[in-house]
Amino acid sequence: MKKLISFDEVSKKIAHKTILNKISFDLYEGQILGLLGHNGAGKSTIINLLLGADNYTGVINVMGKTPYKDRQIIMQDLAYLSDAECLPKWMKVRDIIKYMKGVHPKFSEENAVSYLNKTDINLTTKIAELSKGMTMQLHLSLIMATNCKILILDEPTLGLDLMYRHEFYQLVQEWFNESGRSILITSHEINELENFITDVVFIKNGFVTTRSSLENIISEYCKCKVEVSHFEKLKKFNPYILESNNRENIILIKKEFLDEVESIETIIPNISEIFLAHQKGA
């Protein structure tokens, strides 16, 4: 696989506070990478550095270029979408399509219209008249029509209802399935990413704590229901308690210690449970 983004020992300080501490990770062609961390972990700073918005120490490589120096070149093949509504509300949909054709060298009007035809958006409608969900669909369609190689999604479904979140991921997945593309996404809705991402990077207090494929990290853990009396014997294996009552604990534990567990029931964990355990230090 071709490497599209590389962070190598990247650090960032603001005043005397360290925001990122020698972080390293890669994004390859054909990957959908979930960048997951608590508020203030450093996710937004990573995105800002990718967009060339700030300086840093270490090495960041985006398609062979340096974001801080080569931003204009990089942005021809990299696109960014957040939950913020930044489209000019006074324009009609067809007008913003024409505008994009004039300002982006790789924008395809035909592709933009094709993506929008999969939604309920009318080309003659003013952007101000669109719902938040429709505005996000429009913004996404415009970005995908730039034929970028890398798409950065920053909390893209924040504030959207279930239907629009589902339609959003459907549109993105169809675009991604065309060859040679990659996605980096941050989201607080970690459960909805499980059927979307291929890889994860966990960020905690400015450090990268985990880099893994989704398949590998889920295969490392087991979710077990154990009696409270048995839990004391397992503490040396650093399990994480997901749920608890007077009789039973539901714990997350590494599979390598599974032979030590007298389990009432064993379940495959989801990525949000594993993420929570990592953030809590399990």
Side-chain angles (χ1 to χ4, degrees):
M1 291 187 293
K2 183 179 179 182
K3 190 185 294 185
L4 297 182
I5 291 176
S6 176
F7 273 59
D8 185 13
E9 297 281 298
V10 174
S11 296
K12 174 64 184 175
K13 287 187 177 181
I14 297 178
H16 297 293
K17 184 178 180 181
T18 299
I19 308 300
L20 299 176
N21 199 326
K22 295 185 178 180
I23 68 166
S24 299
F25 69 90
D26 302 313
L27 175 67
Y28 289 87
E29 189 176 88
Q31 284 184 329
I32 303 178
L33 177 64
L35 187 63
L36 308 179
H38 58 82
N39 288 338
K43 304 186 300 297
S44 296
T45 302
I46 289 171
I47 290 174
N48 285 338
L49 298 186
L50 276 173
L51 297 175
D54 211 343
N55 56 11
Y56 52 88
T57 60
V59 178
I60 301 177
N61 189 297
V62 181
M63 296 173 288
K65 304 293 182 183
T66 303
Y68 195 59
K69 296 178 181 178
D70 306 310
R71 185 179 188 278
Q72 189 171 355
I73 298 172
I74 288 172
M75 293 308 291
Q76 293 182 19
D77 287 305
L78 182 149
Y80 169 75
L81 178 65
S82 74
D83 69 303
E85 296 184 21
C86 58
L87 299 180
K89 293 186 177 294
W90 55 270
M91 274 189 170
K92 291 184 178 180
V93 173
R94 65 186 178 195
D95 296 330
I96 193 72
I97 291 174
K98 290 178 182 177
Y99 172 79
M100 285 292 295
K101 187 177 180 180
V103 298
H104 198 290
K106 296 185 178 181
F107 182 79
S108 167
E109 182 176 356
E110 181 182 351
N111 286 349
V113 172
S114 176
Y115 293 134
L116 288 172
N117 283 341
K118 298 173 184 177
T119 73
D120 294 326
I121 298 172
N122 192 304
L123 298 182
T124 61
T125 303
K126 273 192 174 183
I127 294 173
E129 297 170 1
L130 299 176
S131 68
K132 181 177 176 65
M134 286 183 169
T135 302
M136 183 59 76
Q137 287 177 330
L138 171 59
H139 200 169
L140 176 63
S141 297
L142 294 172
I143 282 176
M144 293 190 302
T146 64
N147 198 31
C148 58
K149 293 178 181 176
I150 302 171
L151 178 58
I152 298 176
L153 301 173
D154 187 10
E155 300 286 352
T157 61
L158 193 66
L160 301 187
D161 64 28
L162 183 62
M163 183 187 74
Y164 278 115
R165 292 205 304 269
H166 176 71
E167 291 179 356
F168 177 89
Y169 284 114
Q170 272 192 322
L171 272 175
V172 176
Q173 190 71 59
E174 288 177 21
W175 171 86
F176 172 78
N177 288 341
E178 299 174 28
S179 62
R181 290 171 171 166
S182 295
I183 297 171
L184 187 149
I185 182 169
T186 72
S187 177
H188 284 93
E189 300 291 340
I190 296 175
N191 273 339
E192 73 180 18
L193 295 184
E194 185 149 0
N195 295 320
F196 181 65
I197 59 177
T198 62
D199 296 81
V200 294
V201 168
F202 290 167
I203 308 288
K204 183 178 180 181
N205 299 328
F207 290 88
V208 168
T209 60
T210 300
R211 295 176 293 179
S212 174
S213 71
L214 183 67
E215 181 180 4
N216 284 347
I217 195 168
I218 288 178
S219 70
E220 287 180 13
Y221 289 89
C222 193
K223 183 177 174 182
C224 302
K225 184 184 290 186
V226 299
E227 292 182 356
V228 170
S229 59
H230 178 56
F231 179 72
E232 289 297 319
K233 302 175 185 177
L234 302 176
K235 283 187 175 180
K236 61 184 176 182
F237 303 120
N238 200 26
Y240 179 71
I241 299 177
L242 297 168
E243 297 178 37
S244 180
N245 58 43
N246 292 332
R247 295 177 57 251
E248 300 169 349
N249 287 331
I250 297 178
I251 64 169
L252 189 73
I253 193 167
K254 286 201 168 184
K255 277 188 178 177
E256 62 187 281
F257 305 126
L258 195 55
D259 289 343
E260 305 291 332
V261 180
E262 296 174 14
S263 179
I264 300 171
E265 185 180 2
T266 302
I267 311 163
I268 298 173
N270 59 47
I271 189 60
S272 64
E273 291 167 335
I274 295 171
F275 168 74
L276 186 60
H278 273 248
Q279 293 295 298
K280 296 292 185 179

